[in-house]
Each structure stands twice: as C-alpha cells, then as structure tokens.
Amino acid sequence: MIVAQRKRIPELVEILKGNKRILVLGCGTCVAVCLAGGEREVSIISSALRIASNVQELDFEIGELTIERQCDNVFIEEAAETIEKYDVILSLGCGAGVQAVAERYAEKPVYPGLNTAFIGILEERGLWAEKCAACGSCVLHQYGGICPITRCAKHMLNGPCGGSREDRCEVRPDLSCAWQLIYKRLKGIGQLDRLRKIEQPKNWRMNLDGGCRVIVREDHRI
Amino acid sequence: MMRANPFEPKIVAFCCHYCAYAAADLAGSMRLQYPTNIRIIRTPCTGKLEVEYFMRAFEYGADGVLVAGCEEGSCHFIEGNLMAKRRVNYARELLSESGLERKRLRMVNISAAMGTVFAETVKDMIETVRKLGPNPVRSDHVNVKQEIHR
Ligand code: SF4
Ligand code: SF4
C-alpha cells in the first residue's frame, strides 16, 4: 500500500490561512489502512484545525467527508455535491489522490494534508516499512523476493557492499543488511546459484525519467 | 456573594469502570469532598478511548480532560491502560500543535481502593487548569459538519 504521514497542524494552518469553508476529504483505501487519512484521521485533523482556528481566530468552517478512493474519478464524482459547497479542499489522500481531485476542479484549490512517503507494508503494530520503489522493471525474482533497490542503502544490484557488520547495514545500523537477507533467503529456497550471475546495469528509463510514467492498455481503451 | 475567582474550570473525566470509577464511588462513600467541576464519564476500559474523544471534548469547550485508568500492570483487559497512555500522549502533541496547553489533558493511574487519591487528583487537576485559564475554544463557535452521503 501507499504509506503516508500527517502534516503537522501549524503547517496545515499556514496552508489554509485566509480560507473559510474548508472540506477535509479523507480516502478510505491505502491511507486509511496506514492510519493517516481515513475517516478517523479526518475527524481528528478537523478537530485540531477547529481548535487552532478558535485559538488563532482564523474563522475556519470545516466539513468532514471520507470517500472510498480518492485516486478514482468514480468515487470523486459521488462527492461532487458536497465538494461544490466548499471553497477549498484539504485532501488526506496520497499525492495521487490530491491531484486526482484537483484535476476535476479547475477552479477550486486542493491542498495536501499528508506527506506521502512510500510503498510499503505494516511490519508491526504502528510500524510501516518501505518495500518497493516502483522502479518500473521488477527484479525481485533474482533476489529471493527481497528488493535491493529499496532495501539496500546503496541500491546495489551486485552486493553486498562489504561494509555490513553483524548483519546490520553500515549506512543504517538500525536496519538489517538487505544483502544478508537476500543471501539467507536464497539459501533457504535453494537458489544461491543466482548470486553467481552478475546483474547487468538496470534500465532506469522505466523509472522517473523525462516526465511521469504512463501505462496504456489498448485492450481496455474505448 | 462575589467569588474571588469567577473562572470555574469544566473538567471531563473518563474513568475506567474497574478502577477509577470505583475509586470515585469510594470517595463518595467515604464522604470525601472534592469540587463539583468534574463530569465523570464511565468507560469499560481506558483502552476504549480514542484520540478523537479527547479532541472533541476540547472542541466542545472542556477546560481540561482527565483520563483515569488502572495502575500499570493491573488493567482488567491486560494492556488497555497502556494503549490509552500512548493515545493521550499523541493527543497532547496534537493539542499543543493546535495551540492548547498539553497540561489540559492528563492521564492518571488509580486503583479501586484509592478513594482519597481520586479526590486529591481531581483537586490537583482543577487547580492546574484554573491556572491555565479557560479553554479559548468557545463551543458556540464550533461548527462540526459531518458530510454524509449515500
Ligand atoms: S525491483 Fe523495482 S518493482 Fe521490484 S520491488 Fe524493487 S523497486 Fe519495486
Ligand atoms: S551494508 Fe548491506 S544494505 Fe547496507 S549498503 Fe551495504 S550491502 Fe547495502
């Protein structure tokens, strides 16, 4: 899922200052699961903003709404009637959600309420970790399902770097060395042979290069 | 007769059924005096309390919020009071970001046998909040609009 984190209230106040009717718009998908932008967080952030508005006499009028998925026009459409009533939107969706809403409302400011952080998983209660950098051409099969691009601090495709100590990464001792994990995992599944192969330089054109990436599926177009 | 200090803080106290609520009851049976500024809300466990409960209480004009749970290690539901402690800390952070003093929200741990401690805790909380002054959020200024569709 996409993992995000709330912005602090003073930053939100700075962004919203001077506006009156503000809709805090949550998203019920990824950011709800990572406890950053779902219905509950909409309620909490709205409360905090109302308190800030009273304390600083900002005269905010804040509405709360959470839709199923902000990065999907079908769901944005359902909220159209409500959105119309507000001057600005504070979106608690990920960066894609914010932009999807903004694209639909050419004359309405849509501001981000979260900092979108990464694609990751819930590792323990209250702890999320990045797992994929969306490189555009996945090589997980070579590394026993552990992504060296995301999880090795030096993004090494032919590791390890030689600096790891006691299975810790030399750059980030709080993390396991990704290459230690890859080795253990490949050994476990009987594929250590894979490490004999020198991985060729990766084609980074599939990554963020020359503008945003687009996928076209002719079989789904009309 | 004119009071010396006209500000009487309004305190919402979320009290766990298994400890602090019983302690409040005990304080009553012991005929202990404590100020009437406090409004007790009984909860099945402080672990039931979510951050938004605290936020909403302040939004609606509470001058202080007291969360009273069991002593650490003796929660009836094992770790409800520890969860509450973390949520209270988080809410304190949010309140301070929003411009309210952290001290307005306090968590205490009280066993069912501590009637006297309960009365003292209430008095202390009221004095703390009295010093801070009224909550600047005027409940008549609050405009909660829960948009619902479908
Ligand atoms: S190799 Fe690329 S697509 Fe695969 S997990 Fe790593 S970053 Fe993601
Ligand atoms: S110690 Fe391991 S994870 Fe850290 S940079 Fe070196 S190979 Fe990568």
Side-chain angles (χ1 to χ4, degrees), chain A residues 23-128:
Chain A
L23 179 66
V24 179
L25 186 63
C27 171
T29 310
C30 305
V31 290
V33 180
C34 70
L35 309 180
E39 200 164 7
R40 170 164 289 161
E41 292 72 32
V42 165
S43 151
I44 293 170
I45 303 258
S46 299
S47 277
L49 285 173
R50 283 190 207 101
I51 292 172
S53 161
N54 266 269
V55 174
Q56 302 177 39
E57 295 178 11
L58 299 166
D59 205 22
F60 289 166
E61 259 176 47
I62 292 174
E64 307 175 12
L65 178 68
T66 303
I67 59 176
E68 191 71 29
R69 201 169 306 136
Q70 255 184 57
C71 57
D72 192 327
N73 268 327
V74 177
F75 296 105
I76 301 174
E77 189 63 53
E78 283 177 8
E81 215 175 287
T82 306
I83 291 176
E84 289 299 342
K85 295 190 287 183
Y86 290 85
D87 305 332
V88 298
I89 311 291
L90 180 71
S91 158
L92 297 195
C94 72
V98 178
Q99 294 181 60
V101 179
E103 270 173 34
R104 276 199 76 90
Y105 295 92
E107 277 150 31
K108 209 179 286 284
V110 182
Y111 298 123
L114 304 180
N115 293 322
T116 303
F118 50 75
I119 302 175
I121 61 168
L122 177 73
E123 210 139 72
E124 294 165 20
R125 216 160 82 175
L127 192 156
W128 292 265

Side-chain angles (χ1 to χ4, degrees), chain A residues 148 151-156 159-165 168-172 175-180:
Chain A
R151 297 171 66 182
C152 165
K154 297 172 187 166
H155 317 298
M156 297 189 76
C161 69
S164 90
R165 244 168 282 141
R168 301 277 94 190
C169 170
E170 75 164 347
V171 181
R172 287 274 307 278
L175 299 176
S176 303
C177 164
W179 273 94
Q180 173 84 17

Side-chain angles (χ1 to χ4, degrees), chain B residues 18-135:
Chain B
Y18 291 95
C19 53
Y21 190 79
D25 216 15
L26 180 62
S29 320
M30 289 165 78
R31 303 273 183 268
L32 292 173
Q33 290 284 328
Y34 62 88
T36 52
N37 314 33
I38 196 146
R39 301 286 177 272
I40 294 181
I41 298 176
R42 180 168 64 159
T43 61
C45 170
T46 48
K48 168 74 185 82
L49 301 167
E50 300 284 355
V51 173
E52 58 262 48
Y53 291 27
F54 312 136
M55 301 303 286
R56 284 281 199 256
F58 285 107
E59 224 185 288
Y60 283 105
D63 297 305
V65 173
L66 183 67
V67 178
C70 303
E71 292 179 304
E72 289 189 10
S74 43
C75 170
H76 191 79
F77 301 99
I78 301 165
E79 53 171 25
N81 53 356
L82 301 179
M83 291 192 284
K85 181 178 165 182
R86 295 188 197 105
R87 291 174 194 160
V88 165
N89 285 339
Y90 184 79
R92 281 165 68 110
E93 175 60 31
L94 264 170
L95 288 173
S96 115
E97 284 179 31
S98 315
L100 281 187
E101 300 84 354
R102 290 167 199 265
K103 282 190 200 157
R104 291 185 189 271
L105 173 60
R106 178 187 294 177
M107 176 153 184
V108 292
N109 302 88
I110 293 176
S111 84
M114 293 157 81
T116 321
V117 174
F118 182 83
E120 289 308 316
T121 305
V122 168
K123 282 184 203 156
D124 188 62
M125 178 75 186
I126 289 169
E127 282 326 304
T128 304
V129 175
R130 199 192 299 281
K131 278 191 205 116
L132 294 174
N135 176 359

